[in-house]
Amino acid sequence: MGNIAGTADEIIRCARSLIIAGGYNGFSYADISEVVGIRKASIHHHFPSKVDLVRTLLVQYRQEAEAGIAELERHHPDPVDQLRAYTGYWAACIGDPTSSFCVCALLATQIPVLPPEIVLEVRAHFRALSAWLTAVLEKGAQRGRLAFSGTARSEAEGFMAAVHGAMLSARAYGDDQVFRVVTEPLIERLVAGRP
Amino acid sequence: MGNIAGTADEIIRCARSLIIAGGYNGFSYADISEVVGIRKASIHHHFPSKVDLVRTLLVQYRQEAEAGIAELERHHPDPVDQLRAYTGYWAACIGDPTSSFCVCALLATQIPVLPPEIVLEVRAHFRALSAWLTAVLEKGAQRGRLAFSGTARSEAEGFMAAVHGAMLSARAYGDDQVFRVVTEPLIERLVAGRP
DNA sequence: GACGGCCATCCTACTAGAAGGTAGGCTGAC
DNA sequence: GTCAGCCTACCTTCTAGTAGGATGGCCGTC
């Protein structure tokens, strides 16, 4: 039973949801072993150290994010729709405790106590996300679909920060609605040609 | 040596900066004992359990925040200036590792693994901050100093989320500038009577 | 097709150190 | 005399990580 990459994948999936719940120091090999139904030592077989596990997890997460964005761009040629699809994706995740936060955003809060290898991956995700949002805003402005006062870059940073802050507020209040309340006006404000 | 409340206060101050660095599970009594120059057992004398310590810390933090806002309102009667003073306060904090993040915002990220007593305090801070921002925005709109499309409440939630997200981005990039890049347009957008 | 080696997977059993916390004794100020 | 403050010494549980053994599938060889 269990295909070749099955167990390692299950460990990563489990670790991911545990990180989303409590961050890097908020979970242990023992926690994973309970959920996956495997001994601690067996986890060390797949991932020699905790840093190995989390770094692998992050590399995979970033690949998934990149693939997700590529898919999103195929489905939605319009920049406005792309922004809506992005926030819509997270709005759908917010309700599910195992995916209600961006892993990189959560780890970013703990950067001062994180192993440097992990920090590298987290930084890379922020840069990639910011670059994509900047490109979307630039494209939207060129096509006359979006309008904003500052640079595309600063506007993208503001957008990203607001989305992350919205995740945080949803968690703080224990109210999923807050995410939509914050993110929906965010896009409407950028759409060109409103009163 | 050490005045009456001296040691307990030093412990709290130390714990606060440790939480800002790595959250609830990111510090231990041993860490505090090293910094303060006191034995672990002596910390337990002042704060029997970790929950006691952090709850006390949060109660004090919330009082300080309340006092700070009251002071801020005395110095700045104008709602626009109040918003600027608020973000300006955090802009000044961002550079200092011991105060570069709101303790409650950082703890909020770990709510699923936090003791319930701590969650209560964190929630209370978010509600208080949101209520204050809502009041400022309402007052600003009444006086014709601020203009926005949604309700004052939803606008306040968006403002707070953006500020928290800006703290996160500054930490993620390791670049203090990002905080200002995100928060400055935030206020300018709300100021009434622009082109 | 049987044989033997190889290797991935998972196990039991263990380690050293760190976690939060306790018991009880000393000291010095009021 | 009492008690706050701090200490040494200790406890239990959890932490990541290690050593080494069982199992079992896959390989080429005869």
Side-chain angles (χ1 to χ4, degrees):
Chain A
M1 70 172 88
N3 34 1
I4 296 157
T7 305
D9 236 49
E10 209 173 340
I11 292 169
I12 283 189
R13 229 186 347 263
C14 176
R16 187 193 286 199
S17 67
L18 287 171
I19 288 177
I20 285 167
Y24 189 80
N25 293 312
F27 78 102
S28 70
Y29 273 43
D31 295 329
I32 297 175
S33 85
E34 268 180 44
V35 176
V36 178
I38 206 178
R39 297 287 147 163
K40 279 195 317 163
S42 305
I43 304 173
H44 280 285
H45 168 74
H46 292 281
F47 307 98
S49 78
K50 196 176 181 180
V51 171
D52 287 318
L53 168 56
V54 177
R55 205 194 48 240
T56 308
L57 181 159
L58 286 177
V59 168
Q60 184 178 309
Y61 178 78
R62 298 215 294 125
Q63 281 171 352
E64 280 178 31
E66 206 177 329
I69 281 175
E71 181 103 354
L72 181 156
E73 287 193 322
R74 262 197 302 282
H75 277 69
H76 307 282
D78 181 44
V80 178
D81 291 341
Q82 286 175 7
L83 292 180
R84 274 200 247 271
Y86 173 69
T87 58
Y89 166 79
W90 280 111
C93 286
I94 287 289
D96 173 18
T98 68
S99 62
S100 61
F101 222 100
C102 169
V103 182
C104 289
L106 212 146
L107 287 175
T109 64
Q110 304 172 353
I111 277 182
V113 298
L114 250 38
E117 302 97 314
I118 308 299
V119 175
L120 276 178
E121 295 297 330
V122 170
R123 290 234 160 99
H125 177 78
F126 269 77
R127 274 197 286 267
L129 181 54
S130 160
W132 176 69
L133 285 171
T134 302
V136 171
L137 292 180
E138 273 170 356
K139 201 170 49 182
Q142 277 167 18
R143 298 189 191 171
R145 295 282 291 126
L146 297 172
F148 42 84
S149 44
T151 64
R153 176 69 201 282
S154 72
E155 207 71 32
E157 294 295 354
F159 189 92
M160 187 174 75
V163 170
H164 288 152
M167 289 175 192
L168 185 62
S169 291
R171 178 160 282 193
Y173 290 122
D175 173 17
D176 304 347
Q177 283 289 81
V178 184
F179 185 83
R180 284 207 168 277
V181 168
V182 171
T183 53
E184 273 171 12
L186 212 56
I187 296 174
E188 298 317 307
R189 189 189 305 126
L190 290 168
V191 176
R194 292 178 313 107
Chain B
M1 69 172 87
N3 34 1
I4 298 158
T7 305
D9 236 49
E10 209 173 338
I11 292 169
I12 283 188
R13 226 182 354 257
C14 175
R16 188 194 285 200
S17 67
L18 287 171
I19 288 176
I20 286 168
Y24 189 80
N25 292 312
F27 79 102
S28 70
Y29 272 43
D31 296 329
I32 297 174
S33 85
E34 268 181 44
V35 177
V36 178
I38 208 179
R39 298 287 147 163
K40 278 195 317 163
S42 306
I43 304 173
H44 280 286
H45 168 74
H46 292 282
F47 307 98
S49 78
K50 197 176 182 181
V51 171
D52 287 318
L53 168 56
V54 177
R55 206 192 49 239
T56 308
L57 181 159
L58 286 177
V59 168
Q60 184 179 310
Y61 178 77
R62 297 216 294 125
Q63 281 170 352
E64 280 177 30
E66 207 176 331
I69 279 174
E71 181 102 352
L72 180 156
E73 287 194 322
R74 262 197 302 280
H75 277 70
H76 306 282
D78 181 43
V80 177
D81 290 342
Q82 286 175 7
L83 293 181
R84 275 199 246 270
Y86 172 69
T87 58
Y89 166 79
W90 280 111
C93 287
I94 288 288
D96 174 18
T98 68
S99 64
S100 61
F101 222 101
C102 168
V103 183
C104 289
L106 212 146
L107 288 175
T109 64
Q110 304 173 352
I111 277 182
V113 298
L114 251 39
E117 302 96 314
I118 307 299
V119 176
L120 276 177
E121 295 297 329
V122 170
R123 290 235 158 99
H125 177 78
F126 269 77
R127 275 197 286 267
L129 180 54
S130 159
W132 176 69
L133 285 171
T134 302
V136 172
L137 292 180
E138 273 171 354
K139 202 170 45 182
Q142 277 168 20
R143 297 190 192 171
R145 296 283 291 125
L146 296 172
F148 41 84
S149 45
T151 64
R153 176 68 202 279
S154 72
E155 208 70 32
E157 294 295 352
F159 190 90
M160 186 175 75
V163 170
H164 287 152
M167 290 176 191
L168 185 62
S169 290
R171 176 160 283 193
Y173 290 122
D175 173 17
D176 304 348
Q177 283 288 81
V178 183
F179 184 81
R180 283 208 169 278
V181 168
V182 171
T183 53
E184 272 171 12
L186 212 56
I187 296 173
E188 296 318 306
R189 189 189 305 126
L190 290 168
V191 176
R194 291 177 313 108

